[in-house]
Amino acid sequence: MNEFQLIEKFFKQPKKNAILGIGDDAAIIPKNKKDCLLLSVDTLSIDSHFTKQSDPYYLGWKALAVNISDIVAMGGVPTFALLSLTVEDINKKWLSKFSQGIKACAKKYNVELIGGDTNRGSMSVSVTIIGDSPRKNVLTRSAANINDDIWISDEIGYAHLGFALSKHGPTMSNCLKKRALQAFLKPEPPMNFILDNKKYMHAAIDISDGLVSELEHISVEQKLGAKIDVDSIPMHKWFKEHNNQELALTGGEDYQILFTANKKNRNKINNSLKKNKLKGGVIGTITNSKKVEFEHKGKLVNYKKGGFKHFG
Ligand code: ADP
Ligand code: MG
């Protein structure tokens, strides 16, 4: 049983007053006739997401950033956050750095920390985030149309390389090392780009568990399909040189946005990517095949590692 089956079996229930319940990057609830609120919670736990040696500043940044990512993926503006922190003891130096990291991220995205909870125990950091959006243009995973272009907002794979560096370290240039560690430790969800372009977007999802897995969520689970041209996926040349595009496609933690849009909006979206200094682009098309197909150098390829899963 993986975590998705676990949620389905034990927690999934029909929504009552929510506009959208379990199943997307954030839940949608009514705010007033025109607007809605977006809510999500994400936890980083010791040994699973970080270690005692992890830099507390970046842990603080990332704990909030991964939550902001879920709001951005829904086309919302993050507004408020609650922090639930569990620590083994009071280490003032650690707490000072951690709080600086979370505050820096809050400042960048204009999010207000309004509450939380503090406990003693095995370390974990959980953030609940609230966001805002007009009801009429929230982005969901399930709104793709056949023949839509499939886009990613920036290059992928860096965060997984950064993670690998923190373990055993494949060889790479210092410049790439810096970029990879930055992506792994300090993700920056592309909020302004999404807000500027959501009028063109149909489905959207953040790439937290890896591109392959997120593609399943926006296509196959919606009874559609996707055809992906692996050679057009923006990623550093390291992956091609090491013949390891699979790593970039399945690694996860990119916190970029995968979205779909009508082909007629290609130029406008491309121009906006440039304006926002993002190296994203079109990587494929939504089909009716009910499967995700990857074409690489003219041949169909299969990526077995379907993205990160906590269980199974
Ligand atoms: P994300 O990709 O944003 O991390 P998850 O994969 O953790 O989201 O969860 C998928 C969906 O299931 C989300 O809509 C989330 O709110 C919901 N979910 C996850 N865990 C639970 C749970 N224990 N109870 C209810 N809903 C859950
Ligand atoms: Mg998500």
Side-chain angles (χ1 to χ4, degrees):
M1 180 181 271
N2 66 36
E3 73 231 48
F4 301 114
Q5 292 158 334
L6 179 157
I7 298 162
E8 185 78 30
K9 181 163 168 61
F10 295 106
F11 301 110
K12 189 136 190 182
Q13 43 181 331
K15 67 180 174 69
K16 274 195 295 199
N17 298 314
I19 297 171
L20 183 68
I22 294 172
D24 216 304
D25 288 309
I28 312 175
I29 63 170
K31 180 179 174 186
N32 54 39
K33 275 201 178 129
K34 228 170 99 263
D35 300 314
C36 59
L37 292 175
L38 307 167
L39 289 119
S40 181
V41 58
D42 242 315
T43 303
L44 302 180
S45 3
I46 190 134
D47 298 332
S48 189
H49 301 95
F50 66 95
T51 66
K52 273 200 171 146
Q53 282 72 45
S54 297
D55 184 318
Y57 178 91
Y58 291 117
L59 181 61
W61 177 286
K62 191 164 178 175
L64 182 56
V66 301
N67 278 279
I68 289 173
S69 176
D70 280 323
I71 300 299
V72 168
M74 305 291 291
V77 177
T79 51
F80 300 102
L82 301 157
L83 165 68
S84 172
L85 181 66
T86 307
V87 286
E88 282 166 13
D89 46 35
I90 297 179
N91 176 336
K92 284 189 189 154
K93 205 170 147 201
W94 189 95
L95 285 165
S96 165
K97 283 192 166 168
F98 173 83
S99 68
Q100 282 168 29
I102 197 163
K103 284 177 192 162
C105 185
K107 189 169 174 213
K108 180 175 165 78
Y109 288 92
N110 198 21
V111 170
E112 198 178 334
L113 183 64
I114 53 161
D117 190 27
T118 304
N119 297 287
R120 172 179 276 187
S122 178
M123 275 174 84
S124 88
V125 185
S126 185
V127 172
T128 300
I129 188 113
I130 302 172
D132 247 312
S133 172
R135 283 187 188 215
K136 68 173 194 309
N137 59 2
V138 187
L139 301 172
T140 63
R141 297 176 179 188
S142 59
N145 292 335
I146 294 174
N147 289 327
D148 270 0
D149 278 335
I150 302 172
W151 293 78
I152 49 176
S153 56
D154 203 351
E155 294 177 306
I156 54 165
Y158 288 108
H160 192 77
L161 274 190
F163 168 74
L165 278 173
S166 72
K167 298 271 171 196
H168 46 82
T171 46
M172 62 187 82
S173 68
N174 281 338
C175 174
L176 175 55
K177 254 185 207 168
K178 206 173 142 203
R179 178 75 169 81
L181 282 174
Q182 175 87 2
F184 175 59
L185 296 171
K186 196 167 173 276
E188 295 188 19
M191 181 176 80
N192 293 332
F193 166 73
I194 298 295
L195 292 176
D196 285 350
N197 292 277
K198 71 171 180 165
K199 53 184 174 289
Y200 308 130
M201 296 178 183
H202 293 157
I205 185 169
D206 72 335
I207 309 177
S208 54
D209 298 338
L211 180 67
V212 173
S213 160
E214 316 302 357
L215 277 165
E216 292 273 329
H217 295 315
I218 64 160
S219 60
V220 181
E221 286 171 23
Q222 318 305 329
K223 305 198 166 33
L224 294 169
K227 182 98 186 264
I228 304 296
D229 172 16
V230 175
D231 303 299
S232 72
I233 300 176
M235 63 180 80
H236 192 275
K237 62 181 190 296
W238 186 95
F239 295 98
K240 285 174 195 159
E241 285 166 4
H242 290 77
N243 198 19
N244 205 350
Q245 283 97 334
E246 184 166 4
L247 197 67
L249 268 70
T250 56
E253 298 219 54
D254 297 296
Y255 299 106
Q256 287 302 322
I257 306 291
L258 173 70
F259 62 94
T260 80
N262 191 302
K263 289 188 194 320
K264 70 177 184 208
N265 295 313
R266 232 184 240 188
N267 286 343
K268 281 175 252 173
I269 297 172
N270 263 324
N271 290 340
S272 178
L273 281 170
K274 279 200 199 96
K275 203 181 103 198
N276 284 280
K277 298 194 173 63
L278 296 167
K279 293 183 179 166
V282 175
I283 61 165
T285 310
I286 293 287
T287 66
N288 60 3
S289 69
K290 299 199 176 107
K291 55 188 174 199
V292 184
E293 295 171 299
F294 294 93
E295 201 175 289
H296 182 32
K297 294 181 182 156
K299 282 196 190 121
L300 283 183
V301 286
N302 214 345
Y303 294 115
K304 289 184 201 76
K305 279 176 25 188
F308 179 80
K309 291 196 180 64
H310 284 286
F311 304 99

